[in-house]
Amino acid sequence: MLRVLAVDDDVTAVEELARLLRADPRIAEVAVAGDTAAALRDLGRRVAAGRRLDAVFCDIRMSGPDGLDGLDFTRLLRGFAEPPAVVFVTAREDGAVAAYEVGAVDYVLKPVRPHRLAEAVRRVEETVRRTPAPHAAEEDPAAPPPDELIPVELGGRTRMVSRNAVRYVEAHGDYVRLHTADGSYLVRMSLVSLARRWEPAGFIRIHRSTLVSAAHITELRFDDGRVAVQVGDDVLQVSRRHSRHVRDLLVRRFHRAAAPPLRTR
């Protein structure tokens, strides 16, 4: 059962959000805070008492005595030993990318629909279930992190793309292009920061401008000293600088008992 905190400086909105959360049978406790300062006090009391908080559902734009909005508040949460998952519940459609960059697990637009909030709770539940306790991380350091949803803008609308669906990523100046089986999507983000973030999920750098999901690589090719990988119908060249590292990573990964065979030629 989950313990969550609802944060919004709109009294009516936070009360309605709390009501919807309390109606979910997966949630055992719903606390309420009217601004980020009150939310931090609540978190401080929980830490002192040894009580966990699984998730925070908060607005992005809030006013309060500490001057912090929802994004600032989420960045502060990273300083906690066991930070809660964050779901943004907001009327703003233009903050999805920023929410993703600070690690939010979902982005729910107001007015909140019960079925959409239920999906957000499911993602929180999955994140909590797959997040190891501090001692468990030492026991299984290779455990893959939970999936992420990447917000992409399409014709004025925001679409959420699963990280697990991304086959490879290409750098395009200040943007990256995410390639999936269904198409490609342009996101304002640097390849360097994305590579650092997605490395634990099995994404490997094969070129200064290309990041590839090892799970989607079906073939490793060698031709006149050059290395390439096949991802779906695409053959991607590996730079000489990254060749040895990519080869060693793939050999280790695909020789695990549970992994499917990797073709080489």
Side-chain angles (χ1 to χ4, degrees), residues 133-176:
H135 65 278
E138 298 178 1
E139 298 172 3
D140 189 10
D147 194 12
E148 294 184 51
L149 295 174
I150 305 96
V152 298
E153 303 296 329
L154 291 172
R157 305 186 65 150
T158 300
R159 176 177 176 179
M160 308 303 286
V161 176
S162 166
R163 183 198 63 212
N164 289 347
V166 177
R167 293 177 169 182
Y168 65 97
V169 185
E170 291 181 302
H172 282 266
D174 294 333
Y175 291 77
V176 293

Side-chain angles (χ1 to χ4, degrees), residues 2-265:
L2 301 173
R3 292 175 171 81
V4 305
L5 174 64
V7 188
D8 200 318
D9 58 357
D10 183 323
V11 175
T12 302
V14 77
E15 288 179 350
E16 174 63 11
L17 176 59
R19 182 188 69 80
L20 291 172
L21 289 169
R22 290 182 180 119
D24 193 307
R26 295 166 293 183
I27 296 179
E29 176 190 341
V30 180
V32 174
D35 54 47
T36 53
L40 287 172
R41 287 195 296 271
D42 181 279
L43 281 166
R45 288 193 294 268
R46 288 174 183 272
V47 170
R51 297 165 54 217
R52 82 174 193 276
L53 181 69
D54 296 303
V56 174
F57 290 74
C58 68
D59 198 355
I60 282 188
R61 300 297 181 221
M62 290 184 288
S63 60
D66 54 9
L68 300 178
D69 62 12
L71 294 172
D72 296 327
F73 174 65
T74 302
R75 294 184 184 100
L76 279 179
L77 292 181
R78 294 176 179 175
F80 285 79
E82 297 180 58
V86 174
V87 173
F88 284 111
V89 183
T90 179
R92 299 180 61 94
E93 296 188 6
D94 60 352
V97 171
Y100 168 74
E101 289 177 344
V102 297
V105 301
D106 207 348
Y107 191 89
V108 180
L109 290 175
K110 297 177 182 177
V112 180
R113 295 176 175 82
H115 73 276
R116 182 63 184 86
L117 188 63
E119 172 62 15
V121 173
R122 184 194 68 77
R123 290 174 181 165
V124 167
E125 192 175 43
E126 182 180 73
T127 299
V128 170
R129 183 174 61 250
R130 297 186 63 178
T131 300
H135 65 278
E138 298 178 1
E139 298 172 3
D140 189 10
D147 194 12
E148 294 184 51
L149 295 174
I150 305 96
V152 298
E153 303 296 329
L154 291 172
R157 305 186 65 150
T158 300
R159 176 177 176 179
M160 308 303 286
V161 176
S162 166
R163 183 198 63 212
N164 289 347
V166 177
R167 293 177 169 182
Y168 65 97
V169 185
E170 291 181 302
H172 282 266
D174 294 333
Y175 291 77
V176 293
R177 184 170 291 279
L178 312 177
H179 293 266
T180 72
D182 299 325
S184 64
Y185 308 93
L186 205 59
V187 180
R188 188 177 180 83
M189 189 179 299
S190 75
L191 189 72
V192 172
S193 63
L194 196 63
R196 188 183 310 115
R197 181 181 182 122
W198 283 5
E199 182 182 2
F203 280 77
I204 57 178
R205 195 78 171 266
I206 67 167
H207 191 278
R208 63 184 178 85
S209 61
T210 312
L211 186 66
V212 176
S213 169
H216 288 286
I217 295 175
T218 56
E219 191 169 331
L220 183 61
R221 299 184 176 190
F222 301 90
D223 184 17
D224 294 331
R226 301 300 300 271
V227 180
V229 294
Q230 177 147 0
V231 182
D233 295 328
D234 298 318
V235 176
L236 307 174
Q237 293 298 320
V238 180
S239 71
R240 294 186 184 278
R241 175 185 175 188
H242 292 89
S243 292
R244 179 179 293 276
H245 179 59
V246 169
R247 183 192 62 196
D248 292 346
L249 279 175
L250 291 178
V251 168
R252 286 200 301 269
R253 184 182 192 281
F254 286 95
H255 275 75
R256 294 173 187 166
L262 176 69
R263 300 194 305 272
T264 60
R265 73 180 196 184

